[in-house]
Amino acid sequence: MGFVNSLEVQRVGALVLVQDRGRPGYAHLGVGRSGAADLAAHDAANRLVGNAPGAATLEVTLGGLRVRATGSATAAVTGARVRLSLNGIDVPDYCTLHLGAGDELTVGHPTDGLRSYLAVRGGIDVPRVLGSRATDTLAGLGPDPVRPGDLLPIGEERSEWPATELAPPPPARLRPVVLRVRIGPRHAMFDTDSLRVLTGQEWTVTPDANRVGARLTGSCALTRSDTTEMPSEGMVPGALQVPSSGQPVLFLADHPVTGGYPVIAVVVDADLSAAAQLAPGDVIRFSQVANRA
């Protein structure tokens, strides 16, 4: 017997995960925050259905999800621009959708971006681990990836109506994607040419990309002037860690808590959502901004 009010998963694509705003405060235990890779899109989806900020959504990578409502539900899809259909009829993203029992919502493959977020009023009600419903793919915490046949119960994490009925989608991404960075904290370990190379050339996202991070490749590698072995130190989302190859790794939501390679720069918080939407083959440029005083 299924849940009285739930989403029945009929099809998944590359990867579908339950995500919320993450589990901060456990770095001392070796557990990162995790949570939605594109937090802005996740929050927008929750606002559209009138959810509390901590409600869990479905993070859909590369589309391909189809769900069936077992009862009436209010839903919204944000993030990567996708074709949405409700019972085979096209419907818009970034707006509130009303589903009846038996209605099927299909998330197509992205036309721009990588990750979409499906919110349902009340949130996805799976058990919390360390205070969060988020799936951390690096630490192996949280619920398993969503599979066909799963029944995802809808919870009670609602806010007061009215919800935002229409949220403007983000503008089409520039080509190349521009990410702003603050230099450091280990930029002194690189030669001055490497600092110019970082912001002066284009970088391509390789197929080696996931929620932990995205490996980048450029025509010129970054070169260390100081090759002293350094102890592991704390990492943050947006950190550009440079291994011995000289080709940087851009850390994302499920990044390791510590790392032993130097970080030449860090993407500003406001651009982390854009970083989360990078797909293999995307070309990016880094633009330096002033460090905080």
Side-chain angles (χ1 to χ4, degrees), residues 110-188:
T111 58
D112 189 26
L114 180 67
R115 296 179 171 96
S116 303
Y117 292 84
L118 168 60
V120 60
R121 181 161 170 78
I124 304 298
D125 189 14
V126 296
R128 289 184 173 93
V129 177
L130 296 179
S132 170
R133 295 183 171 94
T135 299
D136 184 332
T137 60
L138 182 65
L141 293 176
D144 290 335
V146 173
R147 297 170 298 182
D150 285 350
L151 280 174
L152 303 175
I154 297 172
E156 300 291 337
E157 293 194 61
R158 304 183 181 97
S159 293
E160 295 296 325
W161 284 104
T164 301
E165 291 188 1
L166 183 65
R173 297 187 302 163
L174 299 174
R175 298 289 193 275
V177 177
V178 177
L179 299 178
R180 294 167 292 176
V181 295
R182 291 189 171 92
I183 298 300
R186 297 300 179 193
H187 60 286

Side-chain angles (χ1 to χ4, degrees), residues 178-182 198-199 268 271 285-290:
V178 177
L179 299 178
R180 294 167 292 176
V181 295
R182 291 189 171 92
L198 179 67
T199 57
V268 301
D271 288 356
R285 276 188 175 272
F286 295 112
S287 173
Q288 181 180 349
V289 298

